[in-house]
Amino acid sequence: MSHDLFEAARDAMGKAYAPYSKFPVGAAIRAEDGRVYVGANIENLSFPQGWCAEPSAISAMIMGGAHRIREIAVIAEKLPLCTPCGGCRQKISEFSSPDTRVYLCDDQGVQKTVTMAELLPYAFDTDVIG
Ligand SMILES: [Zn+2]
């Protein structure tokens, strides 16, 4: 992974709106167009209405005109290894491939690299529907 994806995720984390959990998270996607799209978690006083960093980045990617995730970095300030939650794994899966790399970061850099197949084995996939 190039350093810029980690930097972009860390910068995005700095823009998180997390006054309730105080658990800022950032995500950065490099799409198939080579551009980087970022997102952060955005909480709400009505807690279930908040959302994670990954769908924020996916939304930015879609609005930017891209539809495929080449690689994605996720960072949380308070965790050495912040893995995407279950819902986000499904959301990332929609726009990625089993071999898409997911970089789990802390504030120093990438701590672990996994693939989507490792992160979401037996993913719900329309291929099984036919
Ligand atoms: Zn999530």
Side-chain angles (χ1 to χ4, degrees):
M1 177 184 86
S2 59
H3 196 63
D4 67 318
L5 205 59
F6 161 70
E7 294 281 350
R10 189 169 62 181
D11 288 350
M13 181 177 67
K15 296 176 181 170
Y17 178 74
Y20 308 109
S21 71
K22 302 193 182 348
F23 189 83
V25 182
I29 290 169
R30 189 180 326 279
E32 85 271 11
D33 62 1
R35 292 179 58 197
V36 173
Y37 300 94
V38 300
N41 54 330
I42 301 172
E43 295 180 346
N44 191 281
L45 178 59
S46 176
F47 292 172
Q49 300 305 320
W51 63 91
C52 298
E54 298 92 329
S56 293
I58 289 169
S59 179
M61 176 185 76
I62 296 295
M63 291 299 98
H67 293 88
R68 297 303 298 169
I69 297 171
R70 191 184 297 167
E71 52 186 355
I72 177 170
V74 180
I75 180 172
E77 187 177 79
K78 297 181 177 174
L79 270 183
L81 216 62
C82 183
T83 57
C85 75
C88 284
R89 294 177 195 203
Q90 184 63 37
K91 290 181 175 85
I92 296 166
S93 174
E94 180 76 19
F95 303 102
S96 65
S97 307
D99 62 350
T100 297
R101 292 180 307 277
V102 182
Y103 306 110
L104 311 175
C105 309
D106 68 8
D107 62 356
Q108 300 301 307
V110 177
Q111 295 303 313
K112 190 173 180 65
T113 301
V114 296
T115 65
M116 275 308 293
E118 292 170 322
L119 205 54
L120 188 63
Y122 304 102
F124 179 71
D125 191 325
T126 53
D127 286 351
V128 298
I129 298 172

